Amino acid sequence: MDAVSFFLQGFPELLSSLGIVMLISSAIAFFLVLVMIYYARFVKKVMFGRYELLNSTGPTPVFVLKGTPRARCPGCGTLVIRGWRYCPSCGREIGSLWPRKAREGPG
């Protein structure tokens, strides 16, 4: 019997709460690893030119596929893309910028 198990044998509630803490911290670490993998793949796509920075809405950058059709908001001049109903900067309705056929999509 090692020193740690000898010390903890009299404290089963401490041992069970340590197990819960370890389980929660393992779940958080797993989630953080998944987030890092997602962002590493996204950065790779941006680096190789598949996505490009369109604009930023507050502190959040907005990336779009390269070659996506764009227009400018008539209210504030922010770049917007097809499918957006409202300007992310000023909130103005921009659905009228795109022809009806383009808004409906294929089919």
Side-chain angles (χ1 to χ4, degrees), residues 51-72:
Y51 289 94
E52 60 186 336
L53 180 65
L54 175 70
N55 209 346
S56 61
T57 305
T60 307
V62 177
F63 290 93
V64 296
L65 285 172
K66 202 169 204 164
T68 303
R70 301 176 185 149
R72 292 216 176 256

Side-chain angles (χ1 to χ4, degrees), residues 36-47:
M36 290 171 55
I37 289 171
Y38 171 80
Y39 279 109
R41 287 183 175 179
F42 182 74
V43 167
K44 185 178 176 183
K45 289 177 185 177
V46 171
M47 285 176 54

Side-chain angles (χ1 to χ4, degrees), residues 10-104:
F11 303 101
E13 63 276 350
L14 178 63
L15 187 60
S16 68
S17 38
L18 282 177
I20 292 171
V21 168
M22 288 178 61
L23 182 66
I24 291 172
S25 61
S26 298
I28 291 171
F30 181 70
F31 174 74
L32 291 176
V33 166
L34 289 179
V35 168
M36 290 171 55
I37 289 171
Y38 171 80
Y39 279 109
R41 287 183 175 179
F42 182 74
V43 167
K44 185 178 176 183
K45 289 177 185 177
V46 171
M47 285 176 54
F48 289 116
R50 186 169 177 201
Y51 289 94
E52 60 186 336
L53 180 65
L54 175 70
N55 209 346
S56 61
T57 305
T60 307
V62 177
F63 290 93
V64 296
L65 285 172
K66 202 169 204 164
T68 303
R70 301 176 185 149
R72 292 216 176 256
C73 171
C76 65
T78 300
L79 283 173
V80 293
I81 61 172
R82 185 178 73 207
W84 288 359
R85 189 166 177 194
Y86 298 98
C87 174
S89 254
C90 67
R92 183 177 178 162
E93 186 171 3
I94 57 173
S96 61
L97 290 176
W98 310 104
R100 183 168 176 82
K101 187 173 186 173
R103 281 190 312 215
E104 290 175 357

